Amino acid sequence: MKSSADVVIAGGGCMGCSVAWHLARRGITNVILLEREPQLGAGSTGKNAGGFRHQFSNSANIELSIESVALMKRFEEIVGTPIDFHQDGYLFLLSKSANVDTFKKNVALQQQHGVDVRWVSKEDARELSPGLDLTGVKGATYCPSDGVADPNGVTMGFAKAAQAMGVEIVRECEVTGAKLTGHRLTEVRTSKGDISTNILINAAGPWAKSIGRYCGVDVPVEPERRHIFIATPEHGGSWDAPEWDGRMPRTRTLVIDFESTFYFHREGPGLLFGMGDPDEAPGFDITVRWDFLPRVTEVAIKRLPAMEHAAVSHAWAGLYEMTPDHNPIIGPSSDVTGFYTIAGFSGHGFQHAPAAGRILADVITGHDPQFDVTPFAADRFARATRSGELNVV
């Protein structure tokens, strides 16, 4: 590992690798990306469901989606690596009148940004995702350009392309501290030696707060466990079998029951599903809580009755990186010169990594990002007014 660099990046997930690639494209190649695990993308990136959507309540997040999805759609052409990419849409199901009213405003906002999102009838919803029980549903929205992509493919694509341009990637290397001269960063300390640098990018996801402490900066990001389960028919086989025609979806359309946060989409021969736990306390424990599964399946069977005949083949848990307003932090610290954060995406980091990495690379290199980063400013939490994201699942 080199002992000096123009930029050090802490975190080898989708966000850190995206920033590395975008910096390299702008000619900043004396970059060291540090990942404490043996593999890149082993944290939150490797444990998410892979969804991407345009259906957000905040204009800045909608714009992040538009740019990110456009890049992922042409990922092999632009970055050089093929990825698994499916635009089968997101279908939101709404059962409360208040949420229908909120989504009417959201849809209008999304359409103002040029997003093809629409209200759909119950009949259309059943056609989009056969087998749904829509009892109690008062409204549904669908965006055909939403979908599912491969987090590992995107992360490794950015990483390999960045390496090819000169970026150094060091695995099994943990940031252990930082040295400041006055209020300016001058050194990053690691488990493999010290690196002289004037720029540290905090792309550590749920661990972003710890990296901030090394610089004396409070990064308001808290980890929150989320579970993902994979279900197959209880007697084996695939949901593609003829007996499940009309009872299970055939496409990867991602369905979200907004009030319960239960969601699912097809994943190969199985069905990927999950749900948020309102009682989950912040923490780094990613042990699968099997006692939580009955609560999820109770909701799942009501919304997708065929799940009564499902068996969970495997499961895992990962961490959301939550901020108080559910918007990310992208940009410099107001307290320490040279310390930047790109974290706190509150469950929508993977899908926004392409655009977020570009924006931060532009900020660092002095280019106009042509993006209003005010909603993502690190110091916004000290202000009385700020706008956050409502559509967190």
Side-chain angles (χ1 to χ4, degrees), residues 11 22 24 35 37 47 70 125 127 132 134 151 175 182 187 189 208 231 255 258 295 310 320 323 341 361-362 380 383:
H22 283 288
E35 170 54 50
E37 300 295 335
K47 297 179 174 66
E127 186 173 338
L132 283 175
L134 297 175
V175 173
E187 188 176 79
R189 291 165 181 155
V255 180
F258 188 68
R295 292 172 58 185
Y320 273 18
T323 63
T341 295
D362 278 347
R380 71 182 184 271
R383 300 195 293 266

Side-chain angles (χ1 to χ4, degrees), residues 239-261:
W239 296 115
D240 291 325
E243 63 188 290
W244 302 110
D245 280 347
R247 302 168 66 190
M248 270 287 176
R250 297 300 191 194
T251 68
R252 293 177 184 247
T253 299
L254 200 153
V255 180
I256 299 176
D257 186 59
F258 188 68
E259 282 75 21
S260 68
T261 74

